[in-house]
Amino acid sequence: MAFHGQWASAFTPIEKFAGLLAAIGHDIDHTGFSNQFLVKSRHPMAIMYSDSSVNEFHHSAHMFTTTLESESNIFSGFTVEEFEEMRRIVIKLIVATDMGKHFEIMSKFQTKMAATGFAKLDTQENRLLVLEIALKCSDLSNPSKPQDIAVQWSFCIMEEFYRQGDEERKHGLPVSNFMDRQNPNVAKCQIGFIDLLVAPLFNTWISFNRDDDTNNATMRSNISHNKKLWQHVSASSKQESGSARSNAVSLIAKSLSSIDPGRGGGPPEVPQVPDIFVIQGSERSIPVLE
């Protein structure tokens, strides 16, 4: 989004390359656990990165290690100075996706918007702040996607949350909010995610990137539509019984039918909902607390 429209010419080739590389690698080799959990469980990565933006520094390090060791070295044409600048930008952008820094970055961007409106992106500081916000939009973009995609990924992230809650319970740690599979509340989690993080972030971005009318309208519509779905699920869930997954599928089907009946002339298609109580794939190794 940042590299199209009115701002496209403001960014240097190195900044554009770094922005794209950061977007590709910002979650590479993710542990599936939050920074807070990695620190509290004394995970080796937390020790290595001194408890600071643990996942984000790992993503950056893993991406550069993998890329530099590849036979297809995409950095082969860079001068030493170009590589150093690009690497510095990539690390800065990836670390900006640390949710512990979210409100600080948002406040800084909004303050700049109020003061100057970014009339010119004539400093690298301003350009990188714009890229930080753009990457954060990408990182938190699920509610801005079409509903069938957003619902599936919502359940995937909830399973990731539940796995962390399982580990917290096993290690005698307090189970984090919305990470207790014994007390699931997917709808409340998703509504809070949209209200607290996604909507303010995207509204801020849209206020900055006003010329992108088509994408702005689509994102706003999807966010609104997905919030309405989860609100309807939340309101209806009090009347349901049975397994959590059956309830979820049933409520989502009812919600889609109620909110958008007969979409396209026929009944709405119910999204495929993963089994959020069956852990699939390999487990990450988490050290036992001393």
Side-chain angles (χ1 to χ4, degrees):
M1 295 185 293
F3 299 145
H4 297 279
Q6 61 179 323
W7 305 112
S9 62
F11 297 93
T12 69
I14 292 291
E15 290 164 353
K16 290 180 179 180
F17 182 90
L20 293 173
L21 193 60
I24 293 169
H26 80 281
D27 266 344
I28 191 171
D29 200 48
H30 202 294
T31 62
F33 299 98
S34 70
N35 286 335
Q36 292 87 343
F37 176 78
L38 295 176
V39 171
K40 289 179 181 179
S41 64
R42 304 173 192 172
H43 192 280
M45 279 171 38
I47 304 301
M48 177 181 294
Y49 298 115
S50 301
D51 299 347
S52 178
S53 299
V54 177
N55 275 311
E56 291 72 30
F57 279 121
H58 174 68
H59 301 323
S60 179
H62 185 83
M63 183 189 66
F64 276 109
T65 299
T66 302
T67 307
L68 289 168
E69 291 177 350
S70 170
E71 294 181 0
S72 303
N73 184 0
I74 62 174
F75 309 124
S76 60
F78 284 66
T79 65
V80 172
E81 292 77 14
E82 287 171 340
F83 178 82
E84 289 177 349
E85 180 186 2
M86 177 275 301
R87 177 169 156 76
R88 172 180 59 82
I89 294 172
V90 169
I91 294 171
K92 178 176 175 59
L93 295 181
I94 291 179
V95 170
T97 64
D98 179 354
M99 290 308 299
K101 301 179 182 298
H102 176 80
F103 294 104
E104 174 189 349
I105 293 172
M106 281 283 288
S107 177
K108 185 176 181 181
F109 188 86
Q110 290 168 339
T111 299
K112 290 241 180 194
M113 280 279 293
T116 66
F118 288 97
K120 294 182 179 179
L121 293 181
D122 53 358
T123 68
Q124 188 172 76
E125 178 186 3
N126 283 353
R127 293 194 297 273
L128 296 191
L129 182 56
V130 168
L131 292 184
E132 287 176 352
I133 294 293
L135 185 57
K136 289 177 68 60
C137 285
S138 176
D139 190 33
L140 304 184
S141 64
N142 189 54
S144 73
K145 296 174 181 175
Q147 200 164 78
D148 56 339
I149 297 173
V151 166
Q152 293 185 60
W153 279 105
S154 294
F155 279 90
C156 288
I157 191 63
M158 292 309 300
E159 172 57 26
E160 183 175 292
F161 284 0
Y162 295 151
R163 294 187 192 190
Q164 176 169 319
D166 294 343
E167 292 293 330
E168 289 171 332
R169 179 174 282 109
K170 185 170 75 174
H171 292 317
L173 297 170
V175 177
S176 300
N177 288 338
F178 302 114
M179 296 189 180
D180 188 352
R181 72 169 72 245
Q182 297 176 12
N183 185 30
N185 198 331
V186 179
K188 185 177 180 180
C189 179
Q190 292 303 308
I191 294 168
F193 176 51
I194 292 171
D195 283 344
L196 181 63
L197 299 172
V198 177
L201 174 62
F202 275 80
N203 285 336
T204 297
W205 174 260
I206 290 170
S207 295
F208 164 75
N209 195 36
R210 295 179 181 178
D211 284 357
D212 194 1
D213 293 336
T214 301
N215 283 329
N216 289 345
T218 299
M219 292 186 296
R220 270 188 167 149
S221 174
N222 286 343
I223 291 170
S224 175
H225 201 58
N226 284 318
K227 180 181 175 180
K228 288 178 182 178
L229 170 65
W230 291 116
Q231 286 175 326
H232 194 74
V233 170
S234 179
S236 303
S237 62
K238 301 172 184 178
Q239 305 170 11
E240 297 292 320
S241 60
S243 74
R245 182 179 183 276
S246 295
N247 285 350
V249 175
S250 173
L251 291 173
I252 288 172
K254 290 179 181 178
S255 298
L256 285 171
S257 180
S258 173
I259 293 172
D260 195 1
R263 189 179 348 185
E269 181 179 352
V270 180
Q272 295 293 317
V273 182
D275 189 337
I276 61 174
F277 295 119
V278 176
I279 296 178
Q280 301 175 351
S282 59
E283 293 293 329
R284 291 281 180 174
S285 175
I286 299 295
V288 177
L289 292 171
E290 298 295 337

